[in-house]
Amino acid sequence: PFSMSAVLTPLLGWRVDRSGGRATLCVWSAVAVALVHLALAVTALPASLLLLGLGAGYSVFASVIWPSVPFVVDSKALGTAYGVITSLQNLGLCLVPMAVAYVHPLTRDWRAPGLPLSEWSGVELFFSALGAVGILAGLALGCDPLVRAALNSPTGRLPTGARIFVQDGWERSPDLPRPPSPPAVPATDAVFAHRPARTTICLPLQPAGKASGASAVSP
């Protein structure tokens, strides 16, 4: 799965930037993860084939979750938002292995009816339950129609052109149009607007051999 993510995530991110659908894809990636772990627990399908589905789900999730933050969080809180997400991710990386160590001894003798004994079936069901929690979280994220519209838009804006939050402010503004950009200043004007005028002093020509300097000085 991680090898697939290393290859697919940039390509999927490029596609999502152009087509949108982040809120929808977030839910479907959780569905893929939950179904793959459920299949690993209760079916005899080859694990190598199912892991392809797990890699696809993880790639989709990684390509939509991180770019979604600036679309629904005010610019003044982006650092806090990314910090909270990273903290929760690391908390999961800390707690889930301990949970697996607890679940595995309790379920190592369980098996699905009609299938050979697999000591990891219970752990896979635990992972499938975590995927179900991810589905519920994705659905909850889409309950707000403004958030869903912003995340599913390629540009992260509402159909009116507004953002969820005013740029550099805390006021929610679903009905405000996009403020016009300031007029561009030509590069030549911007560079020379505060530059003092140059003065050219012309000196009379002197016969050859007597003048050692230039005939014009431009300070």
Side-chain angles (χ1 to χ4, degrees):
F2 294 106
S3 300
M4 288 183 62
S5 178
V7 176
L8 292 180
T9 300
L11 300 176
L12 292 172
W14 175 83
R15 184 59 186 171
V16 169
D17 286 341
R18 284 152 180 79
S19 60
R22 296 173 185 85
T24 303
L25 290 174
C26 186
V27 175
W28 281 112
S29 64
V31 169
V33 171
L35 290 179
V36 167
H37 283 296
L38 182 63
L40 287 170
V42 300
T43 70
L45 295 174
S48 57
L49 178 63
L50 294 174
L51 287 178
L52 294 177
L54 188 62
Y58 183 76
S59 300
V60 171
F61 181 79
S63 65
V64 300
I65 189 63
W66 296 106
S68 298
V69 178
F71 296 151
V72 294
V73 177
D74 182 76
S75 59
K76 288 185 177 180
L78 278 180
T80 302
Y82 279 116
V84 170
I85 294 175
T86 305
S87 178
L88 292 176
Q89 182 183 33
N90 289 328
L91 182 64
L93 293 175
C94 172
L95 296 180
V96 169
M98 291 189 287
V100 169
Y102 176 78
V103 171
H104 179 244
L106 297 177
T107 60
R108 65 191 315 168
D109 295 329
W110 178 88
R111 66 174 178 177
L115 295 178
L117 177 65
S118 173
E119 61 177 308
W120 295 103
S121 294
V123 174
E124 291 298 334
L125 287 177
F126 170 69
F127 285 144
S128 183
L130 293 180
V133 173
I135 296 173
L136 294 178
L139 293 175
L141 182 66
C143 286
D144 189 325
L146 296 178
V147 172
R148 184 173 63 251
L151 292 181
N152 283 332
S153 169
T155 60
R157 294 183 178 274
L158 301 176
T160 59
R163 289 187 182 274
I164 295 296
F165 288 95
V166 178
Q167 188 71 10
D168 295 327
W170 288 100
E171 181 183 357
R172 190 165 181 172
S173 59
D175 299 324
L176 292 180
R178 182 178 181 181
S181 302
V185 179
T188 53
D189 295 342
V191 172
F192 299 109
H194 302 289
R195 186 171 180 176
R198 301 183 62 178
T199 303
T200 302
I201 301 176
C202 297
L203 301 178
L205 296 177
Q206 297 183 6
K210 294 183 178 181
S212 57
S215 60
V217 179
S218 300

